[in-house]
Amino acid sequence: MIPLNYFLVLSIILFALGAIAFFVKRDLITQFMAIEIMFNAANLAFLAFAKSAGSLDGQIIVFFVITVAAAEAAVGLAIILLIFRQKKTIKSEDIKLMKG
Amino acid sequence: MNTIYALFPVLIIVAASLLVMILEVFLKREDRSYLAYISLLFLIAAAAGCVKFWDKGYSYFDGNLSLSNLSLFFCFILIIATFLVILISMKYLTLQNANYGEYYVLLLFALSGMIIMVSSSDLIVIFLGLEVLSLSSYALAGLRREDEKSNEAAVKYFLLGSFASAFLVFGIAFLYGATQATAIPSIVEGLQSGSSFGTLGLVGLGLVVIGFGFKVAVVPFHMWTPDVYQGAPTPITAFFSVGPKAVGFAVLLRIFIPYFKDALESQLMFGLLWIIAAITMIAGNLIALRQTNVKRILAYSSIAHAGYLMVAILAQDTQSLVFYLTAYLFMNIGAFAAVIALGKKDHEYLELEDYKGIGFRYPWIGATFAVFLISLAGFPPTGGFLAKFYVFSAAVRQGLVSLVIIGVLASLVSVFYYLRIIIYMYMKEPSYDVEINIDNPSLFLALFLCLYGVLQLGIFPGNILVLISQAVAALPF
């Protein structure tokens, strides 16, 4: 059996990659995908913990998190679409009406 | 007691939003104000339910949803907040061309999410409630679809909000791994017993703080706040500044006040929150000084208030925290109501320049706005003064003297920018005419209710304090 730590390290790496991509990338869709990766890193951590403790809770929680991520995708893509219709761009540096 | 009545407040709000959603299809655009009246009726029913369930201690789903007195108190003030927000938005929506039927639906869904959050002690249920709240909030921020600023607010809120949610979920995963539990009392117990997973638990707790830090807008995690507050429709800004903050702190207090009881185990987290509270109070107030847009000033002021609330968490004093949130609700929604009052068809007056001479041209609006600003600055005889006084004196009792000194100095700074608005209203000559639409009875009702709340809490706080102490006495943890 693969030890718990391997899964944890993988999920931390995934999460960190997502967080870095969120700040480095300048494209709304890519930033949103970075967030999805972070959610999935959390899912992986839940599954690893559930498996190692032999409890079902963590596995069920993953379903909730997947559902929430899907709902967020629906709302988020709609908002990004609105931005695109109005400004014809989805570069985040072009979205700067308000500052200070 | 395990009974299905415990679901009543959530169910009635969800039923109201579904009903409003269906009715919206059948109503003509100009009849949409009926939707507001229906929502208000349901809110009153839900509030009545909260009053009736006081001291009953109903719970359901194996105690995962429990209406303790504290939860009921939070439900009650959240329902009042939504009630006031609906009152201030009725005319606004027609004037600013944002009269979409979804407005009330989303507002009620957001409220149902908040009620779920305050009445559960399981982090996963809290997370789901938070998402119900957040998803409705993203849509509400971008409600004025043809307005570029509104869209910008929505996309910024969405990106940073879901970024924060990811931190929260990851934190919950770590806490689950460290303690094999998702219920807050068992998590706190597991963390205090100092198992071999100590670091894991601490990391998880830190991630949860980051997640909620975004939602309540404390300083390193505040960057979305001013832009979202400025871009969102003004009544929604009022809602954002009160609702998510109140529920965020309701959850933080459930986690951290029992956790801090064990001073040795929680030293690290205590230090972290101490730093957050200090820089939130300092930065929030200092940046507010150089703002010229009233909505942005109020946004930074709400960040600063999150700092004072954090002090209450560190002082481990639930009572002063809840009192602060109650007072903050009335004064902040009141201030935004006054800002909304200064608007006409397709235009809002939001720059400081617009406020020149308002105090004499519209004496009632000017005077009530001045009262709310004085309360936000923390002068007697208003609720804001007593709230700050209770928080800071609780902190002194806990020996947090240096934090209190920072807080008092920061609120001295805040006096400057609050009074600046008053100076513009009363001591400057207007350079151009400000025409506003004053035919707005529901808004004036809201202004009056907020004024009453601020003064009642400032002059006769006794009744509320008794209620709050009853709510705190029956704490489940």
Side-chain angles (χ1 to χ4, degrees), chain B residues 24 49 64 66 70 80-81 93 247 315 319 354 366 414 430:
Chain B
E24 188 239 329
N64 273 335
S66 77
L70 188 64
I80 292 180
L93 294 181
V247 286
Q319 200 164 353
D354 300 332
S414 78

Side-chain angles (χ1 to χ4, degrees), chain A residues 15 28 31-32 35 38 42 46 49 53 55 58 61 64 68 71-72 76 82 86-87 95 97-100, chain B residues 124 128 131 135 145-146 148-149 151-152 158-159 162-163 167 169-170 173 176-177 180 227 230-231 296 300:
Chain A
F15 190 83
L28 294 180
Q31 282 181 312
F32 176 61
I35 294 169
M38 291 161 75
F46 267 123
F49 285 128
S55 82
I61 291 166
F64 285 107
V68 164
E72 268 192 353
L82 258 180
Q86 220 163 37
K87 300 189 192 255
I95 304 172
L97 272 180
M98 295 173 289
K99 270 199 170 149
Chain B
I124 289 301
L128 291 177
E131 285 303 313
L135 291 179
R145 270 170 279 192
E146 63 297 328
E148 288 198 17
K149 279 187 180 166
N151 281 334
E152 187 177 324
F158 163 71
L159 278 182
S162 33
F163 187 63
F167 274 91
V169 183
F170 205 49
Y176 170 73
Q180 304 302 330
D227 293 353
Q230 188 189 351
R296 285 185 91 87
Y300 279 107

Side-chain angles (χ1 to χ4, degrees), chain B residues 317 320 390 392-400 404:
Chain B
D317 192 75
S320 66
Y390 289 142
F392 285 151
S393 57
V396 170
R397 276 200 303 277
Q398 280 290 323
L400 298 166
V404 170

Side-chain angles (χ1 to χ4, degrees), chain B residues 95-142:
Chain B
L95 285 180
Q96 307 301 333
N97 270 330
N99 202 357
Y100 303 113
E102 302 94 306
Y103 183 86
Y104 302 108
V105 179
L106 290 170
L107 208 53
L108 290 170
F109 272 135
L111 175 63
S112 71
M114 296 198 289
I115 292 180
I116 293 171
M117 279 176 81
V118 296
S119 51
S120 176
S121 59
D122 190 290
L123 276 179
I124 289 301
V125 183
I126 289 174
F127 168 67
L128 291 177
L130 181 72
E131 285 303 313
V132 173
L133 164 67
S134 305
L135 291 179
S136 329
S137 305
Y138 305 149
L140 280 171

Side-chain angles (χ1 to χ4, degrees), chain B residues 280-338:
Chain B
T280 305
M281 289 188 293
I282 296 169
N285 282 319
L286 283 183
I287 307 176
L289 289 178
R290 38 179 281 262
Q291 303 300 324
T292 55
N293 181 300
V294 176
K295 269 165 106 177
R296 285 185 91 87
I297 293 179
L298 288 174
Y300 279 107
S301 115
S302 91
I303 294 173
H305 282 277
Y308 307 136
L309 287 161
M310 205 51 121
V311 174
I313 296 252
L314 288 168
Q316 301 165 41
D317 192 75
T318 317
Q319 200 164 353
S320 66
L321 177 74
V322 178
F323 185 81
Y324 200 108
L325 280 172
T326 317
Y328 175 74
L329 178 165
F330 286 112
M331 58 201 187
N332 221 36
I333 293 189
F336 277 108

Side-chain angles (χ1 to χ4, degrees), chain A residues 1-2 12 23 27 30 42 45 50 52 63-64 74 85 90-91:
Chain A
M1 194 179 125
I2 309 170
I12 290 171
F23 286 113
D27 181 311
T30 320
S52 83
F63 283 111
F64 285 107
R85 273 198 201 145
I90 49 167
K91 296 277 173 236

Side-chain angles (χ1 to χ4, degrees), chain B residues 99-428:
Chain B
N99 202 357
Y100 303 113
E102 302 94 306
Y103 183 86
Y104 302 108
V105 179
L106 290 170
L107 208 53
L108 290 170
F109 272 135
L111 175 63
S112 71
M114 296 198 289
I115 292 180
I116 293 171
M117 279 176 81
V118 296
S119 51
S120 176
S121 59
D122 190 290
L123 276 179
I124 289 301
V125 183
I126 289 174
F127 168 67
L128 291 177
L130 181 72
E131 285 303 313
V132 173
L133 164 67
S134 305
L135 291 179
S136 329
S137 305
Y138 305 149
L140 280 171
L143 200 73
R144 290 161 69 184
R145 270 170 279 192
E146 63 297 328
D147 177 16
E148 288 198 17
K149 279 187 180 166
S150 186
N151 281 334
E152 187 177 324
V155 82
K156 281 181 175 165
Y157 196 21
F158 163 71
L159 278 182
L160 287 167
S162 33
F163 187 63
S165 299
F167 274 91
L168 182 63
V169 183
F170 205 49
I172 297 174
F174 273 35
L175 287 177
Y176 170 73
T179 62
Q180 304 302 330
T182 52
I184 290 175
S186 351
I187 286 179
V188 172
E189 212 173 295
L191 288 176
Q192 280 169 343
S193 68
S195 59
S196 53
F197 285 115
T199 339
L200 207 55
L202 271 183
V203 173
L205 214 49
L207 290 168
V208 169
V209 169
I210 295 177
F212 277 107
F214 269 101
K215 299 292 171 187
V216 300
V218 287
V219 157
F221 320 113
H222 70 290
M223 48 293 199
W224 58 274
T225 321
D227 293 353
V228 172
Y229 280 24
Q230 188 189 351
T234 317
I236 294 305
T237 311
F239 181 72
F240 287 168
S241 70
V242 173
K245 210 170 284 259
V247 286
F249 277 103
V251 176
L252 286 178
L253 92 91
R254 274 160 194 262
I255 300 175
F256 282 105
I257 290 185
Y259 180 57
F260 285 153
K261 287 273 183 292
D262 187 348
L264 220 60
E265 277 293 324
S266 60
Q267 227 167 15
L268 194 66
M269 285 317 289
F270 193 85
L272 192 70
L273 289 194
W274 195 99
I275 295 170
I276 289 181
I279 56 172
T280 305
M281 289 188 293
I282 296 169
N285 282 319
L286 283 183
I287 307 176
L289 289 178
R290 38 179 281 262
Q291 303 300 324
T292 55
N293 181 300
V294 176
K295 269 165 106 177
R296 285 185 91 87
I297 293 179
L298 288 174
Y300 279 107
S301 115
S302 91
I303 294 173
H305 282 277
Y308 307 136
L309 287 161
M310 205 51 121
V311 174
I313 296 252
L314 288 168
Q316 301 165 41
D317 192 75
T318 317
Q319 200 164 353
S320 66
L321 177 74
V322 178
F323 185 81
Y324 200 108
L325 280 172
T326 317
Y328 175 74
L329 178 165
F330 286 112
M331 58 201 187
N332 221 36
I333 293 189
F336 277 108
V339 173
I340 292 169
L342 296 172
K344 62 178 179 187
K345 182 94 185 120
D346 293 331
H347 187 77
E348 290 179 88
Y349 292 103
L350 296 174
E351 291 299 319
L352 261 182
E353 291 292 307
D354 300 332
Y355 284 73
K356 282 181 178 171
I358 289 292
F360 296 107
R361 200 177 158 91
Y362 301 104
W364 288 104
I365 298 175
T368 41
F369 194 19
V371 172
F372 296 132
L373 289 172
I374 285 172
S375 177
L376 283 167
F379 284 114
T382 55
F385 165 72
L386 276 187
K388 257 190 203 136
F389 175 74
Y390 289 142
V391 167
F392 285 151
S393 57
V396 170
R397 276 200 303 277
Q398 280 290 323
L400 298 166
V401 179
S402 44
L403 193 61
V404 170
I405 292 173
I406 295 175
V408 171
L409 289 179
S411 54
L412 270 183
V413 173
S414 78
V415 171
F416 176 77
Y417 61 83
Y418 290 126
L419 283 191
R420 191 159 65 143
I421 304 180
I422 298 180
I423 287 172
Y424 267 82
M425 286 197 300
Y426 283 98
M427 295 175 194
K428 297 223 174 187

